[in-house]
């Protein structure tokens, strides 16, 4: 198959089987599936999740990653070439139900890797997270190799997934890749219970003309990225020349960083009367264990990570899109 890349040049995609996405109904999965459909053809994409609030415009099905039998069956019944494994329970929700987070994130990932191995899948991409860092990790410009001793079940299971992916690569030559995403900001589908969700909630409140109560302190600085850059990064890493990768499953990526207070100030440029009250809850403790800024050099050097959106362009784009959605025409 010959396709035109978004940069304009023509490249070849050798697809024998299909591309499977797990967790496809989530915040990132919803937009990744759309992008994969436009890049590789919707007939080549299979979206799976527990349920779909919005039916994707490609083949889709139910697959619970915690059920080894149903994962094996799904892989047996479909000819799958590569996998984007997004099914997960995120940081804040994981602390509400650590057992479930362990089952989905750790056992689910092992089930998907084993099924991939058995059915000859060529590549598995698993997003990791800044949640793999912990209180002993330095705060600023954190490199890939650093102290990773997370204190949440989410972080513990995600660092396990990074290491498991590396293990399957070294031992079985299964091409597993991954990148540590920061807080992802998007407007098409709601966030799934992470500690950086406040940023989306704050922007949505401002656009709706409501005040916002923030669950983090106003000076809590965290790394972030806008969804178009997250999607392009995932695809770029997946298409990168494997021979040039020194790292595999743990690339740091982030486009900008800000505090809730700085986001509030940026939003006042559009909504002068917007106000935020700060009432930190247990999610503040999680945020305090994460770095404020990341060193993304490995991703830049090894596969050309190059985000396009800075914070102010992200806010401008979010405000425009959310305003369009809530206009009478957008509601039709
Ligand atoms: N959104 C972020 O800010 C962010 C940041 C860092 C990393 N990530 C990573 O990106 C990936 C996708 O995250 P997201 O934000 O889209 O999460 P999300 O919570 O929005 O979506 C996760 C999806 O997984 C599905 N799921 C849960 N349990 C499942 C199971 N047993 N079987 C099958 N599906 C199941 C859920 O139904 C949901 O649709 C995850 O690996 C996450 O760790 C996300």
């Amino acid at each position: 198959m010959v396709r035109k890349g978004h940069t304009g040049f023509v490249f070849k995609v050798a697809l024998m089987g299909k591309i499977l996405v797990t967790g496809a109904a989530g915040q990132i999965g919803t937009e990744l599936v759309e992008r994969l459909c436009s890049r590789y053809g919707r007939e080549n994409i299979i979206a799976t999740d527990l349920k779909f609030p919005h039916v994707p415009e490609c083949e889709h099905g139910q697959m619970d990653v915690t059920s080894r039998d149903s994962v094996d069956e799904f892989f047996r019944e479909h000819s799958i070439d590569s996998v984007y494994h997004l099914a997960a329970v995120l940081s804040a929700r994981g602390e509400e139900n650590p057992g479930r987070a362990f089952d989905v994130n750790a056992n689910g990932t092992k089930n998907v890797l084993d099924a991939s191995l058995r059915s000859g899948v060529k590549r598995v991409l698993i997003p990791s997270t800044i949640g793999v860092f912990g209180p002993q990790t330095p705060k600023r410009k954190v490199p890939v190799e650093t102290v990773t001793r997370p204190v949440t079940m989410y972080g513990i299971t995600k660092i396990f997934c990074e290491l498991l992916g590396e293990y399957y690569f070294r031992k079985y030559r299964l091409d597993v890749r991954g990148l540590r995403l920061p807080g992802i900001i998007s407007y098409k589908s709601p966030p799934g219970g992470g500690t950086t969700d406040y940023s989306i909630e704050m922007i949505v409140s401002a656009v709706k003309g409501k005040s916002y109560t923030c669950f983090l302190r106003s000076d809590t600085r965290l790394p972030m990225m806008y969804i178009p850059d997250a999607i392009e990064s995932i695809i770029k890493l997946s298409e990168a020349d494997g021979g040039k990768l020194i790292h595999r499953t743990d690339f740091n990526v982030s486009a900008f960083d800000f505090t809730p207070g700085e986001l509030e100030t940026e939003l006042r440029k559009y909504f002068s009367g917007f106000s935020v009250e700060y009432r930190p809850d247990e999610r503040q403790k999680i945020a305090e264990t994460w770095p404020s800024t990341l060193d993304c050099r490995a991703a830049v050097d090894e596969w050309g990570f190059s985000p396009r959106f800075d914070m102010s362009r992200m806010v401008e784009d979010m405000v425009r899109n959310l305003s369009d959605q809530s206009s009478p025409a957008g509601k039709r």
Side-chain angles (χ1 to χ4, degrees):
M1 186 193 308
V2 178
R3 295 206 161 262
K4 227 174 183 197
H6 67 284
T7 46
F9 61 84
V10 173
F11 64 94
K12 286 189 176 168
V13 183
L15 272 184
M16 304 291 291
K18 299 201 173 186
I19 297 173
L20 174 80
V21 183
T22 74
Q27 185 197 0
I28 297 177
T30 305
E31 300 204 33
L32 180 66
V33 165
E34 274 179 25
R35 186 75 183 91
L36 292 172
C37 285
S38 69
R39 192 162 178 79
Y40 301 109
R42 59 187 71 257
E43 68 284 2
N44 291 310
I45 312 301
I46 311 176
T48 65
D49 205 306
L50 295 175
K51 57 179 191 295
F52 284 95
H54 305 288
V55 178
E57 290 180 3
C58 63
E59 187 178 345
H60 55 278
Q62 194 184 36
M63 186 177 78
D64 180 346
V65 297
T66 65
S67 161
R68 197 171 175 83
D69 289 346
S70 69
V71 172
D72 284 347
E73 190 183 327
F74 204 96
F75 276 70
R76 260 199 317 274
E77 285 176 356
H78 298 82
S79 168
I80 297 163
D81 204 69
S82 63
V83 178
Y84 291 82
H85 173 46
L86 270 55
V89 174
L90 272 64
S91 56
R93 203 156 285 165
E95 289 312 285
E96 288 163 16
N97 192 342
R100 174 92 188 134
F102 184 90
D103 205 18
V104 175
N105 301 353
N107 292 331
T109 298
K110 181 159 189 305
N111 291 341
V112 167
L113 287 175
D114 284 342
S116 298
L117 205 55
R118 274 197 290 274
S119 54
V121 164
K122 292 194 186 60
R123 192 164 52 240
V124 183
L125 190 133
I126 310 174
S128 189
T129 163
I130 54 168
V132 300
F133 301 118
Q136 289 119 309
T137 307
K139 283 282 165 216
R140 300 191 61 76
K141 297 209 170 132
V142 172
V144 173
E145 282 88 12
T146 184
V147 183
T148 44
R149 295 183 61 79
V151 291
T152 61
M153 183 55 87
Y154 177 59
I156 291 166
T157 52
K158 293 300 273 191
I159 192 76
F160 165 81
C161 293
E162 286 186 7
L163 296 170
L164 194 69
E166 292 240 17
Y167 181 84
Y168 276 59
F169 173 66
R170 274 199 321 273
K171 193 166 175 79
Y172 307 117
R173 305 317 288 176
L174 178 63
D175 185 352
V176 187
R177 304 178 182 191
L179 68 182
R180 291 174 181 155
L181 296 174
I184 302 302
I185 299 162
S186 69
Y187 60 89
K188 286 191 186 164
S189 50
T195 302
T196 51
D197 291 1
Y198 86 83
S199 53
I200 301 175
E201 294 171 5
M202 193 189 286
I203 301 172
V204 169
S205 298
V207 172
K208 286 185 173 162
K210 295 181 178 164
S211 59
Y212 178 62
T213 303
C214 184
F215 57 77
L216 294 187
R217 255 193 359 242
S218 68
D219 61 352
T220 313
R221 182 173 299 283
L222 291 169
M224 301 277 186
M225 183 148 64
Y226 195 28
I227 190 92
D229 283 329
I231 301 295
E232 290 313 313
S233 303
I234 288 171
I235 291 177
K236 211 167 187 180
L237 172 58
S238 162
E239 289 181 353
D241 177 352
K244 296 204 172 121
L245 298 182
I246 300 162
H247 299 83
R248 301 288 325 172
T249 57
D250 54 7
F251 288 99
N252 286 349
V253 288
S254 136
F256 44 82
D257 51 271
F258 58 75
T259 66
E262 287 167 358
L263 181 60
E264 179 188 355
T265 305
E266 188 68 25
L267 284 165
R268 283 235 187 79
K269 293 181 188 165
Y270 299 85
F271 311 100
S272 54
F274 179 56
S275 68
V276 179
E277 189 188 340
Y278 292 91
R279 259 196 249 148
D281 65 17
E282 70 287 346
R283 287 169 281 190
Q284 178 68 34
K285 290 195 202 96
I286 299 177
E288 280 170 14
T289 69
W290 293 350
S292 329
T293 60
L294 302 180
D295 175 346
C296 305
R297 252 174 311 175
V300 173
D301 293 347
E302 292 174 44
W303 50 272
F305 170 62
S306 55
R308 291 182 303 127
F309 284 86
D310 61 15
M311 180 200 180
S312 59
R313 281 195 60 208
M314 174 279 291
V315 171
E316 186 192 343
D317 203 65
M318 282 286 286
V319 167
R320 194 182 51 248
N321 281 300
L322 287 166
S323 305
D324 287 352
Q325 269 180 4
S326 55
S327 73
K331 281 184 178 149
R332 271 203 289 270

